[in-house]
Amino acid sequence: MLRHLIQPLDFTTEEFEQLFRLADQILENPSAYSDVCKGKLMASLFFEPSTRTRLSFESAMYRLGGQVVGFADAKVSSTAKGESLSDTLRTVENYCDIAAMRHPKEGAALLASKYMTTMPIINAGDGGHQHPTQTLTDLTTIRHYKGHFDHLTIGVCGDLKFGRTIHSLVRAMNRYDGVKFVFISPDELKMPQVFLDELDPQDYTETSNLKEAIKDLDILYMSRVQRERFVSEEEYLRLKDFFILDKEKMALARKDMLVLHPLPRVNEIHPEVDADPRAVYFQQARFGMYIRMALIMFLLGLGGQND
Ligand code: CP
């Protein structure tokens, strides 16, 4: 059956666990997987800028022995001539076995998936909506360091309005037992009601006080203010440095609290925090490649389904 990954709930928690286990196996013995995708071609379709997602997907495919075609800038595709997204994807399906696509419009990946007959679509970020492979990356990191997901208190800090990584993370983590969320944002960038409605009101609190909230967290998930989604540059400039995580705030946190960030970072984590062993955002970016290797294999029917 043709499967896509458009948002985290497209996969069950059991399927997530299969991916985590497969990623562990790949990490332990990468050479055993170095030609499982031989002869397979991935389309890397990035209509919006990216460093980690695009390069980790492309590295993942090459490390599995497959190959990659695509673009990192919509201006060099026929989108610039007015071609529709559905026509572009129906064309790409003639050439490629799987596609990872980032697009500025919410719902673009879902729309593209409706036209597919053979090619799995992976949503590599659709506007301010969802970013499910970042969530797989985040959960791989949490699982690695904490060993479980249940009963964790997660502080999600920054731009909760436009942060697609946050929307996906909360949706995915809400499936585990006893998880509590602390949403830390300025009033203007609060978690959209549509995502809050998916949660039990007893499972979350909202605040704008990072110094108070940090004391009770198992995980602090920082995020940048998403400049590209603001209508007003003035509003962005007013809000961009609302939270800056520094040594002083880290001193208030638990000794085993983890700091995650999907990256890129702008100012919201001071570089002095990088040396703190609780800051695991660069390790997180590394896990992103291994879990994407597992995801590619899974969607191509090359392993992970019943491991
Ligand atoms: N985390 C993330 O999506 O980073 P990029 O925008 O660099 O891909």
Side-chain angles (χ1 to χ4, degrees):
M1 189 184 73
L2 180 60
R3 297 280 301 271
H4 308 284
L5 179 59
I6 308 302
Q7 57 99 14
L9 305 191
D10 291 341
F11 279 41
T12 64
T13 51
E14 290 74 25
E15 287 172 327
F16 268 21
E17 192 54 38
Q18 287 162 20
L19 292 177
F20 300 140
R21 283 203 297 269
L22 181 56
D24 283 346
Q25 289 163 15
I26 297 169
L27 205 151
E28 272 166 33
N29 188 10
S31 60
Y33 298 86
S34 60
D35 62 5
V36 291
C37 283
K38 197 162 188 258
K40 300 289 184 189
L41 196 51
M42 186 179 80
S44 173
L45 311 174
F46 279 73
F47 295 85
E48 249 194 357
S50 169
T51 296
R52 275 145 295 274
T53 311
R54 185 173 71 82
L55 296 185
S56 63
F57 261 120
E58 296 185 5
S59 305
M61 192 56 171
Y62 284 122
R63 285 174 185 270
L64 292 169
Q67 292 183 293
V68 180
V69 292
F71 49 82
D73 182 348
K75 289 201 283 294
V76 301
S77 77
S78 283
T79 303
K81 302 175 203 163
E83 185 174 50
S84 70
L85 183 65
S86 56
D87 283 5
T88 301
L89 269 293
R90 280 190 288 194
T91 303
V92 171
E93 189 177 30
N94 290 317
Y95 313 140
C96 295
D97 302 292
I98 188 165
M101 185 181 84
R102 170 169 291 187
H103 200 281
K105 291 237 167 74
E106 285 83 0
L110 179 63
L111 174 83
S113 70
K114 303 287 182 208
Y115 290 90
M116 296 298 101
T117 56
T118 59
M119 185 174 74
I121 299 279
I122 302 169
N123 180 9
D126 60 327
H129 188 220
Q130 296 286 323
H131 193 345
T133 65
Q134 182 61 50
T135 298
L136 283 172
T137 301
D138 303 339
L139 267 61
T140 303
T141 310
I142 294 169
R143 184 177 175 271
H144 178 84
Y145 288 102
K146 293 286 184 192
H148 64 94
F149 302 114
D150 294 340
H151 301 287
L152 293 174
T153 299
I154 306 178
V156 189
C157 180
D159 184 349
L160 314 189
K161 180 178 179 186
F162 295 118
R164 58 192 173 198
T165 68
I166 289 163
H167 303 157
S168 287
L169 176 72
V170 170
R171 195 172 263 181
M173 284 300 295
N174 189 40
R175 294 195 290 189
Y176 297 98
D177 282 346
V179 171
K180 303 281 183 204
F181 300 99
V182 182
F183 296 122
I184 309 160
S185 73
D187 276 352
E188 296 85 345
L189 299 177
K190 283 170 80 170
M191 193 73 171
Q193 192 62 41
V194 65
F195 295 114
L196 292 179
D197 286 345
E198 296 178 13
L199 307 177
D200 184 326
Q202 294 190 336
D203 289 343
Y204 71 86
T205 54
E206 297 180 283
T207 179
S208 58
N209 190 335
L210 175 58
K211 266 184 155 174
E212 267 309 309
I214 200 169
K215 297 171 187 165
D216 299 319
L217 303 178
D218 297 304
I219 292 163
L220 174 59
Y221 193 93
M222 293 296 294
S223 67
R224 87 187 153 91
V225 176
Q226 307 265 308
R227 180 181 206 155
E228 64 275 29
R229 315 260 178 245
F230 275 73
V231 177
S232 156
E233 177 73 1
E234 198 183 355
E235 181 81 336
Y236 165 72
L237 293 173
R238 193 171 65 77
L239 294 171
K240 74 182 177 68
D241 294 331
F242 197 92
F243 297 112
I244 298 179
L245 183 66
D246 54 15
K247 270 186 174 174
E248 188 197 333
K249 293 191 190 76
M250 287 296 287
L252 302 170
R254 290 183 185 159
K255 297 277 173 275
D256 62 350
M257 186 194 77
L258 295 177
V259 183
L260 274 70
H261 192 311
L263 305 177
R265 143 178 70 180
V266 186
N267 281 334
E268 61 279 358
I269 301 180
H270 193 286
E272 70 189 13
V273 176
D274 295 358
D276 190 310
R278 296 170 291 180
V280 295
Y281 24 89
F282 289 109
Q283 292 90 324
Q284 185 183 351
R286 181 165 183 265
F287 287 127
M289 183 179 73
Y290 292 102
I291 196 67
R292 288 181 174 103
M293 290 170 85
L295 177 65
I296 291 168
M297 286 179 61
F298 184 99
L299 287 173
L300 290 175
L302 299 171
Q305 289 82 359
N306 295 304
D307 291 355

